[in-house]
Amino acid sequence: MQAVSPTATGVAFLARPGRPAVVARTLAELAGPTRGVVELPVRLMWNAERTFDLGDPDQLLWMYENVLRETTRAEDLRALINGRTLRRVWRLLNLPRGVRQAWESRHRGLRAA
């Protein structure tokens, strides 16, 4: 899976200063788990508590927020985020403005989600 490059769009949306937001080309590519327990790699979550029960709505949101904010790899998106779930929880996610703008500019359907 390829991510959308900020330079390809002419606009760099930042997840944080100096770090461009990584966005999947399509939501259909996002085939992450929808149930069970997921452990994030240290590069995405530095806390010792890196496991998330996707059956708990708060933990699911917390995991998605961390992955969308911290990833620098398109592979993380495909492995950890589910496109249908992302669409369902989009408005509930607490994301940096740059991450939200990057995703909504690429996936306009998220604006109405």
Side-chain angles (χ1 to χ4, degrees):
M1 175 176 87
Q2 300 242 347
V4 174
S5 165
T7 55
T9 61
V11 178
F13 295 107
L14 301 179
R16 65 175 68 221
R19 180 182 291 173
V22 178
V23 178
R25 289 198 183 274
T26 70
L27 295 180
E29 295 175 81
L30 303 177
T34 59
R35 66 182 94 161
V37 175
V38 175
E39 182 173 353
L40 293 183
V42 174
R43 72 178 178 279
L44 298 177
M45 182 75 169
W46 306 294
N47 192 327
E49 296 294 322
R50 296 188 323 270
T51 59
F52 300 86
D53 179 353
L54 299 183
D56 180 324
D58 291 333
Q59 288 188 32
L60 179 125
L61 293 175
W62 182 231
M63 187 192 95
Y64 273 44
E65 290 164 357
N66 278 282
V67 172
L68 293 171
R69 182 181 61 243
E70 299 299 333
T71 192
T72 59
R73 303 174 181 188
E75 298 82 26
D76 291 335
L77 298 173
R78 186 175 69 202
L80 297 167
I81 302 293
N82 179 275
R84 285 184 177 166
T85 303
L86 179 63
R87 191 180 343 247
R88 180 175 53 82
V89 302
W90 182 251
R91 286 287 160 218
L92 302 173
L93 294 171
N94 183 15
L95 297 170
R97 182 177 299 172
V99 173
R100 188 168 296 281
Q101 289 174 328
W103 279 84
E104 288 181 355
S105 71
R106 176 67 183 171
H107 305 289
R108 299 198 187 277
L110 290 176
R111 290 182 190 169

